[in-house]
Amino acid sequence: MSDPQQSAQNSQMLQGEPSPEELEAAQAANEAEALDALAVAQGELAALQTKNAELADQYLRAQADVQNARRRADDEITKARKFAVEAFAESLLPVTDSLEAGLAIKDATPEQIREGAEATLRQLKSALERNKVIEVAPAAGDKFDPHLHQAISMVPADQDANTVVGLLQKGYTINERVLRPALVTVAAPK
């Protein structure tokens, strides 16, 4: 007498179907592979989490550096604005001293007053030049430059059109930027 279970196994083997032991072994192998894949995935996840934490830290440090640089730049701009005229004011102090000294002389002659005024004017011009304040004083016949000159009127003249005929008031530039244009009269077209 044969066992019905054994005969079912034999018929499965004859038909090419795996036995329950083979199925269990295959299932165990699949589970082992799944566990290995899970372990690899967990390792990769841990590495990515570590890398993410490093990048987050680098980002926060970079943000702090940017904020510190911005704060330092703002402080420097504030100081530059606050003390921008310091050198200019310092160069004008001798001019003030000269004017006060000239006014302190009670019995000055007109010649002394004129001499003192000329010396003070030289000091003032020197102080302006040291601070990049340059005089704009076009001569008669110079070409009219609308960037540096302001035409007050056009007058008939025996010179080319759009040339300076006369200077009414000097102009000034500071660091190549017009502080005040020179006021001029210009030759009218013929």
Side-chain angles (χ1 to χ4, degrees):
M1 269 198 169
S2 71
D3 186 8
Q5 204 176 30
Q6 191 168 2
S7 59
Q9 286 177 354
N10 289 341
S11 69
Q12 285 175 349
M13 289 170 86
L14 293 174
Q15 294 174 358
E17 291 182 23
S19 68
E21 292 84 15
E22 291 173 334
L23 287 174
E24 280 182 35
Q27 187 176 0
N30 286 342
E31 287 176 6
E33 286 178 22
L35 288 176
D36 287 345
L38 179 61
V40 168
Q42 286 175 336
E44 289 175 359
L45 177 62
L48 289 173
Q49 287 173 333
T50 301
K51 183 69 173 176
N52 186 32
E54 289 173 10
L55 291 174
D57 183 56
Q58 289 175 0
Y59 172 76
L60 290 175
R61 289 177 190 276
Q63 284 294 99
D65 287 345
V66 167
Q67 289 174 356
N68 288 338
R70 184 177 296 134
R71 183 184 45 78
R72 282 191 301 273
D74 288 344
D75 288 347
E76 287 180 24
I77 289 170
T78 301
K79 287 177 185 175
R81 284 184 183 149
K82 192 174 184 179
F83 300 110
V85 296
E86 183 177 7
F88 185 70
E90 191 175 298
S91 67
L92 291 179
L93 293 178
V95 176
T96 304
D97 294 340
S98 293
L99 287 171
E100 288 174 347
L103 291 173
I105 300 173
K106 300 291 183 206
D107 298 327
T109 64
E111 292 81 25
Q112 289 173 325
I113 293 173
R114 180 164 184 83
E115 192 176 303
E118 288 173 350
T120 303
L121 180 59
R122 283 192 301 273
Q123 280 182 320
L124 179 59
K125 284 184 176 185
S126 175
L128 291 172
E129 286 176 8
R130 276 195 311 274
N131 288 281
K132 308 288 189 272
V133 179
I134 307 300
E135 188 176 273
V136 177
D142 286 352
K143 184 164 176 45
F144 175 74
D145 182 353
H147 299 104
L148 297 174
H149 311 144
Q150 182 176 345
I152 297 301
S153 63
M154 294 188 91
V155 296
D158 292 336
Q159 58 191 51
D160 294 337
N162 293 324
T163 57
V164 174
V165 174
L167 175 66
L168 303 173
Q169 185 180 55
K170 294 177 183 176
Y172 292 90
T173 61
I174 185 165
N175 289 320
E176 299 179 14
R177 182 175 170 190
V178 175
L179 189 58
R180 179 178 81 186
L183 301 180
V184 297
T185 54
V186 179
K190 295 179 184 177

